Amino acid sequence: MENNNTQSTLPDIRQTLVLNAPIQKVWDAVATSEGIAAWFMPNNFQAELGYEFHLEAGPFGNSPCKVTVLDPPNRLTFEWGKDWSLTFELNDMAGKTEFTLIHAGWDADKVTEFGQPHEEVRGKMSGGWVGLVENLRKYVEA
């Protein structure tokens, strides 16, 4: 079956890094409300499949989210806003943790809730995630 929308799909933002921290510590940092708030955004997350929560995106207000994959301590995915999904993948590496962030759902033909073209936001977000995963590193390696 042919998908005519392929041209407009923008690549996922992916970042992978090895954290000098055990997998459970990293999982607690990415799959608890306190953990997510420490390096990403204030939120009312709960690690529960189908749970609906909000990320407090500062000037952009509260972004609605919903947990769609929960596989502790290896994988968490949630819908973010109307188009995106965010996945955190963790792999145990003998006391360290390989962490991959995948921000998907980009489409050149779409705009965000705030009327910004996906392409424009993706460029900013891609750079923003670099700093955010460094925040995560500092948090779990402290």
Side-chain angles (χ1 to χ4, degrees), residues 69-88:
V69 177
L70 186 64
D71 179 17
N74 297 109
R75 192 177 176 95
L76 167 68
T77 302
F78 56 85
E79 293 169 358
W80 180 15
K82 65 183 179 62
D83 297 319
W84 296 331
S85 73
L86 206 52
T87 298
F88 303 139

Side-chain angles (χ1 to χ4, degrees), residues 25-115:
K25 186 175 184 185
V26 179
W27 178 255
D28 289 345
V30 301
T32 65
S33 179
E34 300 82 352
I36 294 168
W39 66 276
F40 184 27
M41 283 183 202
N43 64 87
N44 60 341
F45 171 85
Q46 285 188 27
E48 196 181 297
L49 204 55
Y51 187 77
E52 296 187 16
F53 66 101
H54 285 90
L55 288 172
E56 294 172 29
F60 295 113
N62 287 347
S63 289
C65 301
K66 182 180 179 179
V67 179
T68 54
V69 177
L70 186 64
D71 179 17
N74 297 109
R75 192 177 176 95
L76 167 68
T77 302
F78 56 85
E79 293 169 358
W80 180 15
K82 65 183 179 62
D83 297 319
W84 296 331
S85 73
L86 206 52
T87 298
F88 303 139
E89 282 179 358
L90 287 66
N91 282 313
D92 193 344
M93 295 177 71
K96 296 185 179 189
T97 306
E98 182 187 59
F99 172 78
T100 302
L101 173 141
I102 305 160
H103 185 171
W106 301 99
D107 187 326
D109 298 333
K110 289 186 180 170
V111 296
T112 67
E113 290 88 321
F114 308 102

